Amino acid sequence: MSAFAAPGFLLSAMLSLGPVTPQEMHFDAPLPLRSGASLPAYRLVYETYGRLNAARNNAVLVCHALNASHHVAGLDGNGQAGWWDNLVGPGKPLDTDRFFVIGVNNPGSCFGSTGPMHLNPATGQPWGADFPVVTVEDWVDAQALLLDRLGITQLAAVLGGSLGGMQALSWSLRHPQRLRHCIAVATAPSLSAQNIAFNEVARRAIVTDPDFHGGHFYAHGVVPARGLRVARMIGHITYLSDDSMEAKFGRQMREAELAYSTQAIEFQIESYLRHQGDKFAGYFDANTYLLITRALDYFDPARAHGGSLARAFAAAQAKFLLVSFTTDWRFAPARSREIVKALVDNQHDVSYAEIDAPHGHDAFLLEDPRYHEVMRAYFANIAREIR
Amino acid sequence: MDARTGLDQIAALVPTGSRVLDLGCGSGALLAHLREARGCRGFGIEIDDALVAQCIRRDVKVLQLNLEDGLSLFDDDSFDVVLQLDTLQNLRHTAQLLRETARVGHQAIVSFPNFAHWPHRLSVLRGRMPVSKALPYQWFDTPNIRVGTFADFEVLAQQCGLRVIDAFGLHEGRRVDRWPNLLASTAVFRFERA
C-alpha cells in the first residue's frame, strides 16, 4: 500500500468495499443433520470480498450471529452497509486487499439460504415449524460443503462473534485441518441457564402469539409480529450493558409531563425498545428466531466429552484468538476464559484479549480502537504467515 | 526492549526449548527473544491493552488477565520456567503470587528493584525517598505498591516455602554477586518449590 495522504472523507470512501452482490450455491445432496434428520436439496447464499490468491490459502470465513446474514461488509442493493463493515474492507483490520473474505447465510435463516419460509419438497407447502432443527455443527458442515465447491481446502481463519464465535470454535473441532486460525469474539463454550432462560422467554412470546398458528402462519397471510417484537426487546436488553443503557437513555422522558398512563410510552428506553421490536418484526422470520435460539441452547462441545471442555478441544489444531468485553454480561469474559483454559490445558496456541469496553455484548460489532488494534495485529500476522 | 534491566542476563538463565510463562510480559520483547534465540515457547500475561496489542503484533501468545486474580488457569508444573520480572512491586498479593508462580512452574525467576541499593540508602539518610533508574517515580505517583530489598526477599522466599537456587544482583545490565543488597539496583532470584 502506498503512503498516500488523503483527507478524512476520501479515506473513509477508500476504506469501503462499495456495492457487493450476493451469490447462491445449490446443493442437491441432502445435508445430514445432528438430529438424525436431513435437509433435502438446499441453497446457500453468500458474499465474498477480496480475491482468492493463487495458493488459495488466504480465505477467511466470517460466521454470523443470531440476526445477521451473509452481508458482512460493503453495500447491498439497498445501500445498507454489512453488519461487520467497520472490521472488514480494504485497509480495515480484516483487510480485503490481503484476504478473500466469505460470509455465508446459514440454513434455517431468513436471508436467502434455505429456511422455514421456503417450500418443503415433501408437502409443497412452506416448511414453517417443520423445518428440521439445525445446530451450530450442522451450519459448520454446510459452510464446509460450500468451501469444497469454492475449491478452498484450508481457511486462513474462521472468524465469528457471539453465535458466530461458536461456529468458529466448532470449526476447530469438526474440521481441525481446514483452518489455520480460529478467532472467536464475545462468545461462550455453551449457554448458561440464564442465557437459555432469556431464549425461552423469547420463544414463548413468539409461539403464544395468536398469529403464530403453530408455526404455519404463512398460509394465514400473517406473521406473529407481537411475539417477535417482545422477543427482540428482551434480546436487545441483553445485548447492552446497564451502564451503556443508563448513559444513552437514563430516565429521559418523551414528554415533559407524566401522562399517568400504564400503556403510553413515557420513557425513551421504552420508545427505543418498541422501535427495535417493530423494525425486527418487519424483517425477521419467527420460525428462524426459534431455530437459531435453539441452536444457541444446544451448543455445548463439552457434552460429548463427559462435560470436559479441555477434552473437547484436544483434537483442535488451529491457533486461537479469543476476545471478550468486560461489560458483556450475556457472554461474560469468564466464559471466554473457560475456553482459554481448555486451550491452555491442551497446550494449544492461544491469545486472549479482554477489552474494557462499556457497551456490553454489542461491543463486538462496534469500533473500539483497542479491540480493532488487536484484530488488526492478529490478521497482519496471519497475512505474513501465508505470504 | 522493555524498560527492564539486564534482560539478556535473565534470558541466559532460561534453558533452550523451555516452555515459559512470563507474568507481566509487557510488549512481549523478552518472549520474542526467547523464542528466536532459545527456541522457547509459551505465554505472556499482561493487563495493559496497548501492550497486549504489541504482543499480538509480535506474534507472542498473550493472555490479558489480572495477575491479582491468581494463576488458576494453569495446572501445577505446566511450565518449565515462570518469569516474574519487574512485576512483583506492582502487585498487592505478593506472597500469594509467588506461591502460584512456584506452583505452575518447575522453576521461577523473579526480579524487582532493590530498595537497599546504596544510593537509595543514601537518599533515605538524607531524608528523601529515592528516585533512580530502577525506582524512577516520586513517592506520591509511584505504581510500586511493594518496595523491598534483596535481603527482604530471602526472608519471604523462606516463608513461602521456596527453595532459592540462585540469587544475584543486577546493575547497569551487569551481574552483581558481591554484596548484592548494597551494590545492585535490581534483585534476581531463581527458585523452585521447596
Side-chain angles (χ1 to χ4, degrees), chain A residues 89-132:
Chain A
K92 292 184 183 175
L94 174 44
D95 188 346
T96 50
D97 290 336
R98 292 164 151 183
F99 293 102
F100 178 66
V101 179
I102 308 160
V104 193
N105 189 215
N106 290 323
S109 179
C110 53
F111 296 109
S113 292
T114 300
M117 70 298 302
H118 297 127
L119 296 186
N120 176 354
T123 64
Q125 298 296 311
W127 281 100
D130 299 332
F131 194 88

Side-chain angles (χ1 to χ4, degrees), chain A residues 351-352 354 370 373 381, chain B residues 43 49 56-57 62 64 73:
Chain A
S351 281
Y352 170 57
E354 196 169 297
R370 294 159 297 183
E373 173 55 21
N381 278 331
Chain B
F43 296 102
D49 295 324
I56 290 175
R57 205 160 269 287
V62 63
Q64 190 167 23
L73 207 61

Side-chain angles (χ1 to χ4, degrees), chain B residues 119-128:
Chain B
H120 299 156
R121 297 187 191 200
L122 272 185
S123 185
V124 172
L125 273 180
R126 280 200 310 270
R128 297 292 303 274

Side-chain angles (χ1 to χ4, degrees), chain A residues 178-230:
Chain A
R178 293 197 71 174
L179 69 165
R180 300 176 70 95
H181 292 267
C182 172
I183 305 170
V185 183
T187 196
S190 63
L191 292 199
S192 66
Q194 189 195 48
N195 293 151
I196 296 171
F198 279 119
N199 281 349
E200 177 58 4
V201 173
R203 283 191 293 264
R204 292 313 294 169
I206 290 169
V207 303
T208 58
D209 185 322
D211 285 338
F212 183 63
H213 296 289
H216 296 287
F217 49 87
Y218 315 99
H220 296 80
V222 292
V223 293
R226 283 162 290 185
L228 270 171
R229 282 192 201 106
V230 174

Side-chain angles (χ1 to χ4, degrees), chain A residues 355-366:
Chain A
I355 308 289
D356 186 13
H359 309 102
H361 187 58
D362 257 359
F364 88 89
L365 294 169
L366 302 175

